[in-house]
Amino acid sequence: LSRMSSSDDQSYLKHITVKSCPQTDEFWLMMRTELPTLLDNGSYSVLVLDSIADMFRLPSEDSTVSPAFSRAMNVLAAAAELLRLADNHNLAAIVINQLSFSEPALGLAWRHCVHNTFMLSESRNISLKKSLEHSTDVRAKYEIASDGVYLAS
């Protein structure tokens, strides 16, 4: 997190691509076809996915498996695809995972797939909850301003 300055605020917007995938089949098409093509033809360093938990809550089309098993398999497949994209294109993949009744909305399967977990609170604190590389005792205050998000002084 760092403060960014620019004489032209709109210049940042031309470096952002937004795609909405409200259905599971659209999500997999984006992950397996559209994103690799986009990343092959552009210069991206960060991939952010927001609000993907809802689509994994949908009932499975395969009635022979439990909904929990189907959900876990889809979450694990999404994590594997994100890791593949991040490795192949040398970028950071960030997934916004909301909390549902104090539990991560993507569930326990997701917890075992990620490298780092950050918790952002309403009181503007950020803490490192899980990391494969760093101590998890790291906490800091952050601020949100019109020009971005940055660590508080």
Side-chain angles (χ1 to χ4, degrees):
L1 302 172
S2 63
R3 177 171 273 201
M4 299 171 69
S5 62
S6 170
S7 58
D8 180 11
D9 291 339
Q10 296 298 316
S11 68
Y12 296 116
L13 297 177
K14 63 184 171 189
H15 297 287
I16 297 173
T17 302
V18 177
K19 169 79 174 159
S20 174
C21 300
Q23 302 296 325
T24 308
D25 56 342
E26 294 174 57
F27 172 77
W28 289 117
L29 177 67
M30 178 199 64
M31 291 293 289
R32 294 181 175 140
T33 305
E34 296 172 7
L35 262 177
T37 301
L38 180 70
L39 295 171
D40 283 341
N41 297 319
S43 177
Y44 294 90
S45 57
V46 178
L47 170 63
V48 179
L49 296 180
D50 189 9
S51 303
I52 64 170
D54 283 344
M55 79 178 85
F56 293 126
R57 289 187 182 117
L58 299 174
S60 171
E61 294 175 7
D62 183 354
S63 61
T64 63
V65 298
S66 75
F69 179 79
S70 175
R71 182 181 196 293
M73 294 288 66
N74 279 316
V75 166
L76 292 171
E81 195 63 31
L82 279 170
L83 289 170
R84 186 187 67 76
L85 288 169
D87 286 344
N88 288 351
H89 299 281
N90 194 31
L91 56 83
I94 300 171
V95 177
I96 310 300
N97 187 9
Q98 300 88 354
L99 289 179
S100 175
F101 303 105
S102 300
E103 292 294 321
L106 287 170
L108 293 176
W110 183 259
R111 184 181 302 175
H112 298 289
C113 297
V114 299
H115 291 237
N116 297 298
T117 301
F118 294 92
M119 176 75 73
L120 282 80
S121 70
E122 290 178 17
S123 60
R124 306 254 168 113
N125 288 305
I126 183 170
S127 58
L128 182 59
K129 294 293 189 182
K130 174 190 171 191
S131 177
L132 299 178
E133 302 165 358
H134 306 286
S135 166
T136 56
D137 296 334
V138 179
R139 289 181 171 72
K141 288 282 227 185
Y142 66 92
E143 295 180 14
I144 302 172
S146 61
D147 60 342
V149 178
Y150 57 95
L151 293 177
S153 313

